[in-house]
Amino acid sequence: MQKPKLLKAIVERQNKHGRDQGQTVFEYLGIIVIIVLIIGAIVGSGLAAAIANAITQALADITAN
């Protein structure tokens, strides 16, 4: 009598997995869009140049010692 319960559990798990596959594509797309917006905001605000200068200075300090 355990076989029908086991079979039902397997089928339900496979059906759930199939529905989630399309969702992950949209989740990845959403993450990429958010990252692009953050990078755009950093570049647009001029903060990118300040970050680059700070990194360059830190590297110069490390290599000078």
Side-chain angles (χ1 to χ4, degrees), residues 56-65:
T56 303
Q57 184 62 42
L59 290 173
D61 292 343
I62 291 170
T63 56
N65 292 328

Side-chain angles (χ1 to χ4, degrees), residues 2-19:
Q2 290 290 359
K3 289 183 182 181
K5 290 181 182 180
L6 180 61
L7 181 61
K8 182 178 179 183
I10 291 170
V11 170
E12 287 176 357
R13 185 171 184 184
Q14 287 177 342
N15 286 341
K16 181 181 178 190
H17 180 69
R19 286 183 285 173

